[in-house]
């Protein structure tokens, strides 16, 4: 023990220095290092703030791009003062107001009305049955006695080739009128002018079918083929009550037919008759049966809601059957249609132009084939003396969501992610 004490006395300074060194190491790792990390974090934060402020200070700024014809924004060469900022803000607000006005006008450009008022979005059983019957009366052109009453036919002043039943009825009517001129015999035998009556009947009746065909061409503007319209087949049966999704799909199809038929009417607006019309014969309007999600409520519930914000950028998707890149989105439904018509060969540009005038129809393809008017005349069609061609036109029609959303059934709105309308405040 004595030796240990002597050793401590002789090395007291060294021991104290060692203790101090150990204490310094402990303090460094426990206090200084933590302080260093704190200072490092603050320095990093200050550096990020400096970078952000320096970026704002040196960032290239541009004037608002307010003209549609401008492709590049003009550079702002000095930092704007408050009056300049106010001026720019006013311009942006003005541009937004004009944008909203353009959007409103775009929706109103092609107004949409229901075939049966109040049949959508939830019209009830009576409305559903009424819609079914009126829809069939409008679209089913196989009914000879009623097809001319379709409002779609009236829109374009269309006409059908007289049927055998109609020509036979006219023959009977004319024959009765001729026989009414018979002079009775005083003796009760054959009419005194029986020979003349029979001769007139023999001269007149054979020409009646051709006279009726010529009359149809002279008093109307466009022939319509009895199979020109495509009905929604699920709405055809008489023994079923249509569901709201079927009614909405059928109504969408009617709107698409209206767009095409209004275009034909516009192309023919200055013509006197079929022989004078640019569009002489409507052969077919092909609209896909699944044009707008014609599914049951259960199937609609399983569909992932799409982007319904009309203000979001529209992504284009090109493909072998999609040359424009447009697809259905929150702004519009993009539906592809095929139109087949016989037209005046010299008026093809006008026909294509009228398809898109005042509507959102884009022609994506058009094939042209010659038609022989002389041969068609032997079938009863009077196209006139000018060259005639068959046009097979592929096009897409954009139906603005803003104009159709109020009529969407609840299940359809839910499948598309469109909120239900809020009830009016009491």
């Amino acid at each position: 023990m004595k030796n240990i004490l002597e050793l401590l006395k002789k090395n007291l300074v060294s021991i104290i220095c060692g203790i101090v060194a150990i204490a310094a190491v402990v303090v460094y790792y426990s206090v200084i290092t933590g302080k260093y990390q704190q200072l490092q974090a603050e320095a990093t934060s200050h550096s990020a703030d400096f970078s952000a402020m320096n970026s704002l200070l040196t960032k290239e700024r541009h004037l608002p791009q307010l003209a549609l014809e401008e492709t590049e924004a003009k550079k702002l060469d000095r930092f704007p003062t408050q009056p300049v900022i106010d001026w720019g803000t006013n311009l942006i607000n003005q541009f937004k107001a004009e944008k909203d006005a353009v959007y409103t006008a775009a929706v109103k450009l092609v107004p949409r009305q229901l075939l049966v008022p109040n049949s959508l979005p939830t019209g009830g059983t009576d409305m559903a049955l009424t819609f079914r019957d009126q829809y069939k009366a409008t679209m089913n052109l196989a009914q000879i006695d009623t097809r001319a009453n379709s409002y779609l036919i009236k829109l374009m002043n269309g006409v059908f080739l007289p049927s055998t039943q109609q020509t036979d009825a006219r023959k009977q009517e004319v024959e009765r009128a001729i026989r009414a001129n018979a002079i009775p015999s005083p003796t009760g035998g054959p009419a005194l002018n029986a020979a003349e009556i029979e001769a007139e009947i023999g001269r007149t009746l054979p020409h009646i079918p051709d006279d009726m065909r010529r009359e149809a061409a002279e008093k109307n503007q466009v022939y319509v083929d009895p199979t020109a319209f495509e009905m929604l087949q699920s709405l055809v049966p008489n023994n079923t009550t249509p569901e709201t999704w079927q009614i909405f799909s059928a109504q969408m199809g009617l709107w698409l037919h209206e767009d095409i038929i209004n275009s034909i009417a516009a192309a023919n607006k200055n013509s006197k008759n079929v022989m004078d019309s640019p569009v002489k014969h409507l052969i077919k309007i092909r609209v896909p049966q699944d044009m707008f999600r014609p599914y049951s409520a259960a199937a609609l519930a399983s569909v992932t809601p799409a982007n319904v914000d009309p203000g979001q950028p529209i992504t284009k998707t090109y493909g072998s059957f999609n040359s424009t890149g447009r697809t259905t989105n929150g702004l519009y439904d993009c539906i592809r249609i095929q139109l087949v018509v016989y037209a005046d060969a010299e008026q093809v540009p006008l026909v294509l132009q009228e398809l898109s005038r005042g509507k959102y129809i884009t022609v994506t393809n058009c094939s042209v084939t010659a038609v022989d008017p002389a041969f068609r005349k032997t079938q009863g069609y009077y196209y006139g003396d000018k060259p005639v061609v068959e046009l097979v036109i592929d096009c897409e029609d954009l139906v603005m969501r803003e104009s159709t959303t109020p009529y969407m059934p609840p299940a359809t709105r839910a499948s598309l992610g469109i909120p239900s309308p809020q009830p009016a405040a009491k």
Side-chain angles (χ1 to χ4, degrees), residues 120-122 244-248 300 405-414:
L120 288 170
T122 53
T244 52
W245 64 267
Q246 292 173 309
I247 295 175
F248 184 73
L300 284 169
T405 298
Y407 306 122
M408 286 184 184
T412 303
R413 295 177 71 108

Side-chain angles (χ1 to χ4, degrees), residues 203-220:
R203 288 192 306 268
T204 305
L205 296 191
H207 297 287
I208 286 179
D210 193 57
D211 291 343
M212 291 181 65
R213 298 183 188 111
R214 179 181 291 277
E215 179 184 331
E218 290 175 345
K219 293 185 177 180
N220 300 274

Side-chain angles (χ1 to χ4, degrees), residues 59-65 72-77 80:
K59 180 181 179 180
E60 188 177 89
R61 291 173 173 81
H62 300 86
L63 289 169
Q65 191 171 347
E72 294 184 5
K74 296 179 180 179
K75 184 178 179 181
L76 182 65
D77 54 5

Side-chain angles (χ1 to χ4, degrees), residues 25 65 75 157 182 230 246-247 324 344 386:
V25 171
Q65 191 171 347
K75 184 178 179 181
N157 192 17
E230 286 194 351
Q246 292 173 309
I247 295 175
T324 66
D344 184 335
K386 294 183 179 180

Side-chain angles (χ1 to χ4, degrees), residues 53-347:
M53 295 176 66
N54 188 60
S55 175
L56 290 174
L57 184 63
T58 59
K59 180 181 179 180
E60 188 177 89
R61 291 173 173 81
H62 300 86
L63 289 169
Q65 191 171 347
L66 302 175
L68 295 176
E69 62 273 11
E70 292 181 358
T71 57
E72 294 184 5
K74 296 179 180 179
K75 184 178 179 181
L76 182 65
D77 54 5
R78 65 176 61 90
F79 198 80
T81 60
Q82 188 60 43
V84 174
I85 293 175
D86 294 340
W87 171 79
T89 302
N90 290 335
L91 281 181
I92 292 174
N93 292 337
Q94 179 183 350
F95 184 77
K96 183 178 183 301
E98 292 177 355
K99 181 265 295 181
D100 293 339
V102 169
Y103 176 70
T104 301
V107 172
K108 293 181 178 179
L109 180 65
V110 185
R112 304 296 181 185
Q113 295 181 348
L114 295 177
L115 174 65
V116 177
N118 302 318
S119 58
L120 288 170
T122 53
T125 301
D126 291 342
M127 284 292 183
L129 295 176
T130 301
F131 182 92
R132 181 197 66 190
D133 295 340
Q134 291 195 23
Y135 174 77
K136 292 172 67 174
T138 299
M139 298 290 288
N140 186 6
L141 304 182
Q143 300 297 324
I144 296 175
D145 296 334
T146 60
R147 61 191 179 187
N149 296 326
S150 168
Y151 82 94
L152 296 176
I153 301 301
K154 293 179 180 179
L155 276 177
M156 56 182 166
N157 192 17
V159 68
F160 301 89
L161 202 65
S163 65
T164 302
Q165 296 93 318
Q166 290 170 324
T167 57
D168 288 345
R170 176 73 67 86
K171 286 180 180 180
Q172 293 173 7
E173 179 183 349
V174 171
E175 184 175 355
R176 284 193 299 269
I178 294 174
R179 292 193 183 280
N181 296 322
I183 302 174
S185 170
T187 61
L192 297 180
N193 59 343
E196 291 81 357
I197 293 292
E198 295 301 328
E200 185 176 357
I201 290 174
R203 288 192 306 268
T204 305
L205 296 191
H207 297 287
I208 286 179
D210 193 57
D211 291 343
M212 291 181 65
R213 298 183 188 111
R214 179 181 291 277
E215 179 184 331
E218 290 175 345
K219 293 185 177 180
N220 300 274
Q221 291 179 302
V222 59
Y223 288 116
V224 181
D225 195 272
T227 61
F229 300 162
E230 286 194 351
M231 300 177 61
L232 183 67
Q233 293 303 312
S234 62
L235 204 67
V236 172
N238 287 322
N239 58 348
T240 59
T241 301
E243 297 182 45
T244 52
W245 64 267
Q246 292 173 309
I247 295 175
F248 184 73
S249 295
Q251 183 64 70
M252 283 286 289
L254 278 173
W255 286 329
L256 297 171
H257 280 75
E258 284 180 9
D259 289 346
I260 296 295
I261 287 170
N262 283 328
S263 298
I264 293 174
N268 291 343
K269 64 182 178 181
N270 295 323
S271 64
K272 299 177 182 179
N273 50 47
V274 173
M275 286 83 79
D276 193 39
S277 292
V279 180
K280 301 183 179 298
H281 197 157
L282 170 59
I283 304 298
K284 193 70 176 178
I285 300 176
R286 294 191 177 97
V287 177
Q289 287 289 306
D290 59 346
M291 58 197 153
F292 192 79
R293 298 178 180 266
Y295 308 131
S296 65
L300 284 169
S302 66
V303 178
T304 301
N307 174 25
V308 296
D309 184 358
Q312 290 297 314
I314 297 174
T315 302
K316 293 191 174 183
T317 304
Y318 296 93
S320 57
F321 298 100
N322 187 1
S323 59
T324 66
R326 300 189 187 102
T327 56
T328 293
N329 54 71
L331 184 62
Y332 52 73
D333 289 289
C334 180
I335 304 174
R336 286 166 181 80
I337 308 171
Q338 187 177 76
L339 171 65
V340 183
V341 295
Y342 290 170
D344 184 335
E346 297 178 357
Q347 300 295 330

Side-chain angles (χ1 to χ4, degrees), residues 19-35:
I19 293 172
V20 171
I22 293 171
V25 171
V26 172
V27 170
Y28 175 80
Y29 281 104
S30 62
V31 179
I32 302 300
T33 300
K35 188 65 175 177

